[in-house]
Amino acid sequence: MTEEVGVLGEKTSRRTDVERIVETPLPTVYGKFRAYGYLDHERGDEQVALVHGDLDTEGVLTRLHSECLTGDAFGSRHCECGAQLASALRQVADAGSGVVVYLRGHEGRGIGLLAKLRAMALQAGGLDTVEANLALGLPVDARDYGAAARILDDLGVRSVRLMSNNPRKREALVRHGIRVTEQVPLLIPPCESNITYLRTKRERLDHHLPHLDAMAHVPS
């Protein structure tokens, strides 16, 4: 831990492997946020946390969002990532406070953009998302949440209400010392393009997606 003077003049104690570099206001279509930029010295990734309102130390409404260029930027309907990011930002703003940690280096559950596109091509040929990664000789999920936990620690967050359907994300945060007081579902209505992907996430990756049971007809 080192004590440094931040860009706004405040003294902050932070871990040296994930260093806070900058803080700036960031108005968005969802509301006014503050963007905290971090450098993960161990992995070389640049990370950002979007904070709305004044954070408490306990029970902070939190989303750890894995980078997904195709979903977040291009509006891909192969997954629900873009809609989840928008919903998380909206819910944090509506709640009056909370944080969305946007985790770069998590593309394709940690395998990278080009490998993800190769996996998507295999899925178009009939493999599911787990089979596609394995066919490429890649891990099913290579994501690490250590940087996210250190960012939350830097922001003074000790426990969270975690917006996620993924129990492994909750387990990872707990392993890194952040308590999860509640897991808040982040359920996005499926469409014809992603229903198979979502069912695979439920059946093979243990995601909690109870709303899929009611989907007798899936809109295109």
Side-chain angles (χ1 to χ4, degrees):
M1 302 288 286
T2 60
E3 186 175 73
E4 302 177 4
V5 178
V7 294
L8 298 184
E10 77 280 19
K11 289 186 176 180
T12 55
S13 295
R14 57 182 69 98
R15 297 173 187 267
T16 55
D17 52 344
V18 178
E19 179 186 6
R20 188 198 298 185
I21 302 297
V22 63
E23 175 190 349
T24 182
L26 185 69
T28 76
V29 296
Y30 309 101
K32 294 180 179 179
F33 285 79
R34 298 190 309 281
Y36 292 78
Y38 292 86
L39 178 60
D40 183 343
H41 290 283
E42 181 179 351
R43 301 173 63 92
D45 295 322
E46 296 175 330
Q47 308 288 12
V48 63
L50 297 184
V51 173
H52 180 74
D54 296 323
L55 297 183
D56 294 324
T57 59
E58 305 291 343
V60 177
L61 187 62
T62 300
R63 167 73 178 167
L64 306 184
H65 189 85
S66 294
E67 176 183 26
C68 177
L69 179 68
T70 51
D72 299 339
F74 301 151
S76 168
R77 304 198 79 187
H78 177 83
C79 63
E80 82 279 41
C81 299
Q84 283 190 317
L85 177 59
S87 178
L89 289 166
R90 189 176 297 112
Q91 288 186 56
V92 163
D94 289 346
S97 68
V99 57
V100 175
V101 181
Y102 192 87
L103 293 165
R104 304 186 67 200
H106 277 205
E107 189 76 59
R109 296 196 302 274
I111 64 174
L113 177 60
L114 296 183
K116 182 180 83 168
L117 294 177
R118 293 173 65 200
M120 288 171 63
L122 292 176
Q123 291 170 66
L127 299 186
D128 68 31
T129 183
V130 171
E131 294 166 342
N133 280 34
L134 295 176
L136 293 170
L138 298 170
V140 173
D141 193 336
R143 290 173 293 182
D144 181 84
Y145 295 96
R150 290 190 283 279
I151 288 170
L152 292 173
D153 180 66
D154 177 79
L155 293 171
V157 174
R158 301 293 174 259
S159 69
V160 299
R161 297 171 55 231
L162 183 65
M163 288 185 283
S164 177
N165 309 317
N166 184 356
R168 298 177 187 180
K169 192 175 290 188
R170 175 180 189 149
E171 293 163 4
L173 268 188
V174 171
R175 284 198 304 272
H176 287 289
I178 302 293
R179 292 186 297 109
V180 179
T181 60
E182 181 184 0
Q183 191 156 339
V184 180
L186 194 58
L187 304 177
I188 305 299
C191 65
E192 184 178 8
S193 298
N194 64 24
I195 185 64
T196 298
Y197 171 77
L198 292 175
R199 284 174 175 155
T200 300
K201 286 175 73 173
R202 181 178 68 174
E203 295 163 9
R204 303 198 63 181
L205 299 174
D206 302 322
H207 287 225
H208 186 59
L209 300 169
H211 66 312
L212 299 185
D213 295 330
M215 302 306 297
H217 171 71
V218 178
S220 59

